[in-house]
């Protein structure tokens, strides 16, 4: 399924999405984030999705997939994959929500779901970098950052049915920011942001 679906959806995905995609990497996401920072977008909205793979709403995901895939058998097969259940400590557990972590289709399904967020960010002309469920949005002022945080959290929770971790989501100017394991700093010698 992944081999057939991936090329179809890959054409729709944002150029600012880097996770679990062919010919894209963590390094590319970091380089793009540095470009935004060094272009003066140095207020960062760091969105943290709580237990993303465990909380994906199947109906919303299937609706998004159905906008592209018009084959009932494929839709049915994806639904069966989502509700097939998982083994936890040797015991079967049902999966009424979420995508199975470690499943070969789950990363693609996560990109399909979060591409809706990417499209919203692009339609607003926002600079962003997303790697799987980690997203940074770059703006030029604290006021803009607060406005973006409020409106994007609302979209993620209402439109996508996902949960934003409000304790981990933050607005910053890089002091405590970590993205994909990298920390950022301002190099006064080169007058540029670095990792």
């Amino acid at each position: 399924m992944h081999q057939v679906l991936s090329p179809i959806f890959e054409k729709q995905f944002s150029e600012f999405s880097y996770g679990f995609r062919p010919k894209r990497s963590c390094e590319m996401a970091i380089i793009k984030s540095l470009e935004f920072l060094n272009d003066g977008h140095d207020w960062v909205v760091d969105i943290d999705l709580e237990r993303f793979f465990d909380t994906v709403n199947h109906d919303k995901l299937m609706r998004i997939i159905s906008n592209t895939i018009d084959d009932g058998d494929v839709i049915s097969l994806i639904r069966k994959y989502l509700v097939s259940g998982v083994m936890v400590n040797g015991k079967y557990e049902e999966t009424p929500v979420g995508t199975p972590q470690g499943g070969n289709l789950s990363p693609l399904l996560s990109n399909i779901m979060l591409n809706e967020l990417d499209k919203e960010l692009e339609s607003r002309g926002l600079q962003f970098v997303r790697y799987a469920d980690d997203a940074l949005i770059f703006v030029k002022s604290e006021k803009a950052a607060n406005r973006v945080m409020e409106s994007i959290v609302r979209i993620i929770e209402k439109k996508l049915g996902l949960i934003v971790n409000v304790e981990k989501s933050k607005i910053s100017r890089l002091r405590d920011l970590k993205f994909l394991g990298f920390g950022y700093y301002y190099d006064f010698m080169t007058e540029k942001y670095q990792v």
Side-chain angles (χ1 to χ4, degrees), residues 75-136:
I75 297 297
S76 175
L77 195 55
I78 294 170
R79 173 76 74 172
K80 286 176 183 172
Y81 167 81
L82 291 171
V83 299
S84 64
V86 293
M87 295 296 288
V88 178
N89 297 325
K91 293 182 181 177
Y92 172 81
E93 286 187 15
E94 291 186 359
T95 52
V97 296
T99 62
Q101 288 194 46
N104 65 344
L105 195 57
S106 292
L108 175 62
L109 296 178
S110 73
N111 275 330
I112 291 169
M113 179 68 127
L114 290 173
N115 189 51
E116 296 299 299
L117 172 62
D118 297 346
K119 287 193 284 191
E120 182 68 33
L121 295 172
E122 287 177 342
S123 74
R124 294 172 178 220
L126 293 168
Q127 311 296 322
F128 71 97
V129 174
R130 185 176 64 76
Y131 191 95
D133 60 337
D134 292 323
L136 298 180

Side-chain angles (χ1 to χ4, degrees), residues 132-188:
D133 60 337
D134 292 323
L136 298 180
I137 305 167
F138 302 86
V139 294
K140 291 189 173 189
S141 72
E142 184 176 15
K143 186 176 181 181
N146 284 312
R147 190 174 59 246
V148 166
M149 173 70 90
E150 186 178 312
S151 64
I152 295 304
V153 165
R154 196 168 41 248
I155 286 165
I156 290 170
E157 292 182 341
K158 298 280 190 277
K159 184 178 178 182
L160 298 180
L162 299 170
I163 302 165
V164 175
N165 185 332
V166 290
E167 291 179 8
K168 290 186 178 177
S169 296
K170 61 186 175 286
I171 294 168
S172 72
R173 291 197 80 185
L174 304 188
R175 265 191 308 279
D176 302 318
L177 182 67
K178 288 251 190 243
F179 184 56
L180 306 177
F182 290 89
Y184 296 79
Y185 68 95
Y186 187 78
D187 184 344
F188 289 97

